[in-house]
Each structure stands twice: as C-alpha cells, then as structure tokens.
C-alpha cells in the first residue's frame, strides 16, 4: 500500500500523460486540417484552369 504523497504524484503523472496525449491529437488534427486546406486550394486552381481551357476551346471554335 502506498502513502498519500506517492498516490498524488502518480495521479499528477497520469494527468500530465493525458494532457500530452491531447496535445499530440490536436497537432495531428491541425496537420490534417492544413492538408485539407491545401487540397482545396489545388482543387480550386484545377477548376479555374479547366474553366480557362474550356473558354479557350470554345473561343477556338467560335462559340463565345
């Protein structure tokens, strides 16, 4: 059986471990969020390029 101080120290250690796990999870979510934002930017750029290509194609055939 342990004394109160040892129990309190172990409890604090568990709290710190839980907080570290929370921070690690938050960092993973932040990284994933950045990847999603980058994917959205690339998708938007591709859509704009596609629109320009269709406009150029239509202009080539006189479909303005």
């Amino acid at each position: 059986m342990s004394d109160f101080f040892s129990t309190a120290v172990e409890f604090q250690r568990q709290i710190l471990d839980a907080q570290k796990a929370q921070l690690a999870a938050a960092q993973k979510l932040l990284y994933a969020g950045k990847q999603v934002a980058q994917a959205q930017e690339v998708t938007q750029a591709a859509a704009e390029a596609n629109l320009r290509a269709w406009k150029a194609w239509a202009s080539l055939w006189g479909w303005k």
Side-chain angles (χ1 to χ4, degrees):
M1 189 166 184
S2 62
D3 62 14
F4 175 76
F5 183 73
S6 297
T7 303
V9 169
E10 180 58 29
F11 182 65
Q12 288 295 321
R13 187 173 289 122
Q14 290 176 359
I15 290 173
L16 288 174
D17 288 343
Q19 288 175 337
K20 286 179 187 178
Q22 285 177 325
L23 287 174
Q27 287 174 339
K28 286 181 183 180
L29 287 174
L30 180 60
Y31 178 70
K34 287 179 182 179
Q35 288 181 318
V36 168
Q38 288 174 346
Q40 288 173 339
E41 289 174 8
V42 170
T43 302
Q44 181 177 355
E48 290 170 354
N50 193 27
L51 178 62
R52 286 192 305 272
W54 275 105
K55 284 182 177 180
W57 183 258
S59 177
L60 178 68
W61 290 97
W63 295 346
K64 282 187 173 182

